[in-house]
Amino acid sequence: MINSRPLSLSGILIILVSLLIALILSILPLPAWVLLIQPQWIILVILYWIIVIPHRISIGIAWIIGLLLDVLYGTLLGEHALALCVLAFLAQRLHRQIRMFPLLQQAFSVFILVIIYQALLLWIQGTLGQIGNNINWFWVSALTSMLLWPWVAMLLRHCQRHFRIY
Amino acid sequence: MFTRGPQIGLRLIFLVILSIFLMVLDQREHYLTPLRNGLTAFVAPIQYLVNAPIRGVQTLLDNLSSRETLLAENTSLKAKQLLLQAQLQKLIALENENMELRALLQSSPRLQNRHIAIAHLLAVSTDPLISELVLDKGRKAGVYIGQPVLDANGVMGQIIQVGPLTSRLLLIADLRSAVPVQDTRNGVRGIVVGQGQMAKLLLTDIPDTVDVKQGDLLVTSGLGEHYPAGYPVGVVTQVQHDTGAQFTHIEITPSAKLNRNQPILLIWPPAMLDIDAPKSISATKTGSKHKQGKSKE
């Protein structure tokens, strides 16, 4: 089952570009209310690749992406890295089930995973005393992530089939 | 595939411990500044990349704007410039008068020519809990940690992290920010702290009997030796006297436009420039300034 051949250059490039686009989308300067409802792009992309090619995208890569997020957001080094590698671990454990789900059910599991990720982040920020007033709306971005999952997944699946990333 | 299970678990534990270790190091002491600076330099291209389309659209709009709108803008700008020039003349007169009065009082002039540079916004913190901006000037431009930052209307915040090409600005609206201020009407001192909201700051620890009214302008007091004195911070919008509480609840609207994309001023205090320059030069500088003042008279 496991494809042990190394990934083709175009495959690596596609994965890197998709992660880069997600990073760019997640630091786009937008009005505050849009930021609040903005989906967690980087999580959608990482989840997709982990679920589809778990033997390639390890939790180590998720951790490094998290560290980059920390630098981009200006948060403590390790904050997003911790949350993202726990998320990647859960996804890697559950990837066989999630892969079998229909898209809608997949979207729901994405919702649960994003909530777990955000709860972890809030927990860390709460311990550091950095929580503001708009914490009540943190689940909104999990909701929009769930709603966007089918489209992101279809787009990435198209790229994956086209460039034969397995 | 099944043999990988425990391996992944071990790796997770290792990474979690590593993250916690990093966070503790980053929180307690600033051991990680070199690492953070390296990573900042690594992600700076991404931030420039994000900014590129925004700049592109702006230049496109500038190029596409029709002749009529340009003409209209031109006339309005000319009128505005005239107005500003008139105000500037008043300011120069006032500054001269101020200098003379200070000379009479034999105290050192506080309003000296400060060194100023203009920076632009590169990125905004997308975490709704953190009010920070990334600016396009870094260590190469001489930006330093703790540097005060203003915009055309008032105090914006201070620099908290400096990379080679970028720097990070903590807005006064952030939860971690506090600015020593005084009331322009009566000189009441206080501290303005952020709430994590762009449009609302709080003036804390003001007892119920102290005279602060709606519409009062608060300016920096310069007491923290951080922000230069006399720059507007905000206007009091709401004062709630609560008999049960020890302190008055005072809400403030910041003067600076914290959530607009516009040029930002970085300020270097004159003291820092004086340290670099030999004393003789600074003496001649003040002498020449004096002469200029006289020639204007």
Side-chain angles (χ1 to χ4, degrees):
Chain A
M1 264 294 280
I2 305 175
N3 191 346
S4 54
R5 277 184 300 129
L7 214 50
S8 65
L9 192 66
S10 63
I12 295 174
L13 215 63
I14 285 299
I15 293 176
L16 280 183
V17 166
S18 65
L19 287 173
L20 187 70
I21 290 174
L23 273 180
I24 287 174
L25 281 174
S26 50
I27 59 165
L28 217 54
L30 293 168
W33 65 272
V34 182
L35 292 181
L36 213 58
I37 65 165
Q38 201 191 22
Q40 307 273 346
W41 297 107
I42 198 82
I43 295 186
L44 291 180
V45 173
I46 284 199
L47 273 182
Y48 180 81
W49 290 123
I50 289 184
I51 289 165
V52 178
I53 42 171
H55 50 284
R56 303 245 187 240
I57 304 295
S58 62
I59 62 176
I61 290 176
W63 189 80
I64 290 168
I65 297 283
L67 210 58
L68 289 184
L69 270 184
D70 280 325
V71 177
L72 284 172
Y73 285 162
T75 44
L76 277 189
L77 284 181
E79 215 176 290
H80 286 82
L82 173 66
L84 211 54
C85 79
V86 170
L87 179 92
F89 172 76
L90 290 176
Q92 197 146 20
R93 269 301 164 89
L94 300 171
H95 75 268
R96 255 163 270 137
Q97 285 97 315
I98 297 178
R99 218 193 277 177
M100 290 302 140
F101 286 157
L103 265 184
L104 280 180
Q105 216 170 331
Q106 270 184 13
F108 187 69
S109 28
V110 167
F111 177 73
I112 301 285
L113 285 171
V114 173
I115 285 280
I116 291 173
Y117 167 81
Q118 285 184 316
L120 266 172
L121 269 185
L122 281 178
W123 177 57
I124 296 168
Q125 284 168 350
T127 341
L128 300 170
Q130 291 179 351
I131 288 199
N133 295 340
N134 29 21
I135 165 178
N136 297 337
W137 296 94
F138 83 99
W139 53 270
V140 179
S141 82
L143 199 69
T144 48
S145 305
M146 174 178 99
L147 295 177
L148 270 176
W149 168 259
W151 281 270
V152 173
M154 275 195 279
L155 182 72
L156 286 175
R157 186 182 296 162
H158 184 79
C159 292
Q160 187 206 356
R161 296 263 160 85
H162 190 265
F163 291 95
R164 296 203 189 82
I165 306 167
Y166 294 110
Chain B
M1 195 176 262
F2 293 101
T3 52
R4 291 172 69 90
Q7 240 182 41
I8 289 175
L10 272 182
R11 251 194 292 171
L12 176 75
I13 290 168
F14 170 71
L15 287 177
V16 165
I17 290 173
L18 189 63
S19 318
I20 292 172
F21 184 64
L22 278 180
M23 276 192 278
V24 170
L25 274 188
D26 206 14
Q27 165 91 342
R28 302 278 155 173
E29 301 288 338
H30 296 281
Y31 292 126
L32 292 180
T33 320
L35 174 66
R36 191 180 270 275
N37 284 346
L39 285 170
T40 307
F42 181 71
V43 297
I46 300 180
Q47 289 169 329
Y48 273 96
L49 204 64
V50 168
N51 212 29
I54 299 167
R55 282 277 160 83
V57 168
Q58 257 173 14
T59 45
L60 198 71
L61 284 179
D62 285 350
N63 288 335
L64 286 179
S65 58
S66 68
R67 192 166 161 272
E68 271 172 52
T69 51
L70 278 180
L71 281 176
E73 203 177 77
N74 202 350
T75 39
S76 80
L77 281 177
K78 266 182 187 157
K80 212 172 181 177
Q81 200 213 6
L82 210 66
L83 204 77
L84 284 175
Q85 232 158 25
Q87 280 175 0
L88 191 68
Q89 278 168 14
K90 207 167 77 182
L91 190 76
I92 290 170
L94 281 174
E95 202 174 345
N96 280 340
E97 196 183 310
N98 196 349
M99 292 272 271
E100 279 166 24
L101 286 173
R102 278 188 192 285
L104 280 175
L105 286 169
Q106 288 187 335
S107 66
S108 61
R110 262 195 316 184
L111 293 166
Q112 288 181 15
N113 283 335
R114 293 172 186 280
H115 181 48
I116 283 175
I118 292 179
H120 291 273
L121 263 185
L122 207 55
V124 178
S125 160
T126 53
D127 192 331
L129 305 178
I130 293 171
S131 315
E132 289 176 3
L133 305 175
V134 178
L135 307 182
D136 66 349
K137 291 255 168 18
R139 200 179 302 111
K140 279 195 176 162
V143 179
Y144 64 96
I145 288 179
Q147 183 167 24
V149 178
L150 314 174
D151 75 350
N153 304 299
V155 175
M156 288 200 82
Q158 56 175 306
I159 299 291
I160 52 167
Q161 189 213 324
V162 183
L165 293 172
T166 56
S167 54
R168 201 168 270 278
L169 162 64
L170 181 77
L171 291 175
I172 51 173
D174 194 276
L175 284 165
R176 293 163 288 169
S177 164
V179 187
V181 295
Q182 63 183 30
D183 195 324
T184 44
R185 194 163 52 83
N186 50 20
V188 168
R189 281 176 287 112
I191 290 180
V192 168
V193 297
Q195 288 279 93
Q197 294 172 21
M198 287 294 175
K200 198 172 86 182
L201 311 175
L202 280 190
L203 182 63
T204 54
D205 302 343
I206 297 294
D208 236 357
T209 50
V210 170
D211 174 30
V212 175
K213 282 184 195 154
Q214 196 174 340
D216 281 2
L217 176 68
L218 301 176
V219 298
T220 49
S221 64
L223 282 177
E225 296 188 352
H226 217 90
Y227 294 99
Y231 286 99
V233 173
V235 177
V236 176
T237 46
Q238 201 185 5
V239 181
Q240 275 176 20
H241 291 286
D242 185 359
T243 41
Q246 201 174 0
F247 299 113
T248 324
H249 180 83
I250 304 172
E251 286 178 10
I252 287 155
T253 304
S255 306
K257 298 203 165 90
L258 298 180
N259 47 8
R260 302 278 168 81
N261 188 0
Q262 56 181 9
I264 287 165
L265 299 176
L266 291 162
I267 293 194
W268 282 265
M272 262 185 83
L273 296 174
D274 284 353
I275 291 168
D276 297 338
K279 276 198 172 170
S280 59
I281 292 178
S282 61
T284 52
K285 253 188 199 165
T286 51
S288 67
K289 212 183 277 168
H290 206 67
K291 268 177 208 163
Q292 271 182 2
K294 271 189 180 169
S295 67
K296 259 173 201 159
E297 283 172 47

